[in-house]
Amino acid sequence: VQLQASGGGLVQYGGSLRLSCAASGSILSINVMGWYRQAPGKQRELVATITRSGNTNYADSVKGRSTISRDNAKNTVYLQMNSLKPADTAVYYCNVDWLITRTKVEYDRWGQGTLVTVSS
């Protein structure tokens, strides 16, 4: 199973970006999908998560500015980020807490990260 994140880039203060992360492989079901970020010199932190049924959770720092969604048929999670600030600059990682394939259960899978840079 692989998680491929995309959509990062350079954006101006107040701009928007949409991140995507697609899980590939013989996947039957994915539980919670989420986005985390790590800024230079800081620890990785939660941005948002979404359950298979669509329940969401957001960090206070992005609440009201970001929307997480998922397409279960495509095994893909999205993060729409608006009103971006320089403090949002970080590498964004997608995560799956556990998933079921045709042969096994896999836990705590991470994508490779996509860089978001917000200029002031």
Side-chain angles (χ1 to χ4, degrees), residues 6-47:
S6 60
L10 175 63
V11 63
Q12 290 188 335
Y13 183 97
S16 298
L17 278 178
R18 188 189 194 214
L19 307 183
S20 300
C21 177
S24 61
S26 301
I27 298 170
L28 300 178
S29 181
I30 298 176
N31 191 41
V32 177
M33 306 183 81
W35 289 95
Y36 293 73
R37 67 186 182 187
Q38 187 166 17
K42 295 188 177 182
Q43 290 188 329
R44 192 172 297 188
E45 62 177 7
L46 169 74
V47 178

Side-chain angles (χ1 to χ4, degrees), residues 53-114:
S53 60
N55 293 319
T56 59
N57 178 54
Y58 295 92
D60 288 342
S61 58
V62 304
K63 200 173 293 183
R65 300 188 296 121
S66 298
T67 301
I68 189 170
S69 60
R70 64 189 281 176
D71 184 331
N72 290 329
K74 296 181 179 179
N75 294 324
T76 299
V77 62
Y78 307 95
L79 183 67
Q80 176 69 43
M81 299 189 295
N82 303 319
S83 302
L84 284 163
K85 311 172 183 178
D88 296 314
T89 295
V91 177
Y92 284 71
Y93 299 90
C94 57
N95 172 265
V96 167
D97 68 342
W98 59 264
L99 58 86
I100 302 172
T101 72
R102 295 185 185 278
T103 59
K104 59 184 175 180
V105 178
E106 297 191 12
Y107 297 91
D108 198 27
R109 298 302 307 271
W110 291 90
Q112 87 286 7
T114 184

